[in-house]
Each structure stands twice: as C-alpha cells, then as structure tokens.
Amino acid sequence: MPLISLNGVSFSYEKNLPVIKNLSLSVESGEYIAIVGHNGSGKSTLAKIMNGLLQVDEGEVIVDGFKTSNKKDLFEVRRRVGVVFQNPDNQLVSSIVEDDVAFGAENIGLSREEIGKRIEFALNAVGMEKFRKSTPTRLSGGQKQRIAIAGVLALMPKVLVLDESTAMLDPKGRKEVLSVVKKLNKEQGVTVIAITHYMEETVDADRVIVLDKGKIAMQGTPQEIFKKKDEIVSLGLELPPVAILAEEIRKKGIELPDCVLTESALLEALCK
C-alpha cells in the first residue's frame, strides 16, 4: 500500500480555473521524489494538498490510510507529512533555537521529557546541535532552513515535503540543506518529496515528476527524464548543468555516455 495516494485529484483557487487537474500519484515509503515544472504548473499547490493544507475539489488524498477530506484524520495526516516552505523566516517562531524546534511537539501535547528527546534527535539529524541555545535571527540562511527542518522532524513525520526550500539560499546554504535531506532519506528512512526549480537537485532522486498545467507530463528516473531533452525544453525546463556541459564537450568531438548528470559521472567518463 502506498504511503501517499492521490486519486483523480483536482483543485482550483478560482471557479473554473483548475490548478491541479485529475492528477493521480502514488508515493512509496522511503522514496526520494523530485517534482519540477515551470512557474504556475501546480508544484506548491500539490505540496499543500499532500498534508491537507488545501482541500481538493475532486478526487481523494490518502496518507498512510488517513483521508485529508476527513477532519478527524487531518491531525494524523499532518503528523505524518511535514512541509518545509521556501522562506525559513516564516517558520521560525521563537528567539531560541531549541524553543523553535520544540514548538510543534509542544502543540501536539507531548511530555517535557519526550520533547527534550525530540529536540536532541532533530538537531542532531540536521547537524545543528551546537546551536541549541543560539538566536535563529543570527544564523545564516542555510542554518535557518536546517532549523526549520528540525522543527518538522521533531514531529517524527514519515514524509518530508520541501516546497522550494532552497530557493532563497546561496550555493553553500543549498548544499548544506540538500546534504541533510539526503542523509535523512538514506539513514533515517524518511520519505522525501522535494519540489524545486533547480534541475541539479533532481539528479539523486529515485523518481522525477514533471508537472505541466496541473498534470503529470513526465515521470521516471533522472536518467529516463533527462534523456528526453526536447520534451524537457518544450515544457519550459532545462537540463541539469552537468548535462549541459556534457553536451558542449560532445560538440568538441569527445564521446560521452548518453545521459551524464553528475560531476563524478562526467569525470569518470572523461578519464575513460
């Protein structure tokens, strides 16, 4: 049974202007999924649908057996699906890091002892344990986003949804956050759904889903998706930077495999 099932889902902010159109999607436990698409394709709307922040007009959303349409199930849905948004400043609510991480856990009525354990777990998971007594406003953008992730992790979700969570970060901050997310997926078994407009952030995903006008236009492994260059470009997207570089190298007469997506793969191919 999939951890998340979207069955024939449609959603509109305004009547007769659907943002999501008859979309069906299954997410398995432990998957790392990247969702991409041009502006207005429905990516952020889909993120909010997955944990019940938005209620669909048609279809159903089931999370670990709980339906988002059932008000009695919403609490359980949101404990299982945590969302980290684009701007970490909008998710930081306290003047001390540990209080910020504890906020969600306190609101679901956990004991002080359990909250303490979860603060320690979450800060260790994102590599921010030494900043426990720090002031969030004095942290870098990447550090703030890691604290925002820790606040979600303190709820022990099964699914971590990143809604363009690296969009406002510099390259160093993006690298920090992505490293934490990959570690959570591989070592903690957290299911990750990463919504991004950076194509290079998709190359390590198990599956890439391309949205266009509220529908799934393409899905498959990164290699399967980025082999279809013409389709990607027609959807208003680009290849990952390494794939673009590989194309330029091929134009110089150097033979390379069809789909080179990472720096290590490119270096290996060139050495051969």
Side-chain angles (χ1 to χ4, degrees), residues 17 37 49 58 71 81 83 114 118 154 161 175 179 181 188-189 211 225 256-257 269:
L17 290 173
I49 284 172
E58 297 177 5
K71 289 185 178 180
V81 182
V83 183
E114 179 61 23
R118 294 205 181 188
V161 178
K175 187 175 181 179
S179 176
V181 171
Q188 303 284 347
L211 290 186
I225 293 297
L256 292 173

Side-chain angles (χ1 to χ4, degrees), residues 241-255:
V242 172
I244 294 173
L245 177 58
E247 280 207 342
E248 293 301 314
I249 292 173
R250 289 189 195 96
K251 291 177 182 178
K252 301 295 184 181
I254 299 173
E255 292 187 7

Side-chain angles (χ1 to χ4, degrees), residues 22 49 54 58 70 72 82 92 96 111 154 177 202 248:
N22 193 29
I49 284 172
L54 294 176
E58 297 177 5
N70 187 340
K72 293 181 179 179
L92 302 177
I96 302 296
S111 67
V177 171
T202 70
E248 293 301 314

Side-chain angles (χ1 to χ4, degrees), residues 130-143:
K130 68 180 180 180
F131 295 93
R132 183 169 182 152
K133 300 294 183 181
S134 299
T135 302
T137 54
R138 295 183 179 179
L139 301 177
S140 69
Q143 289 171 330

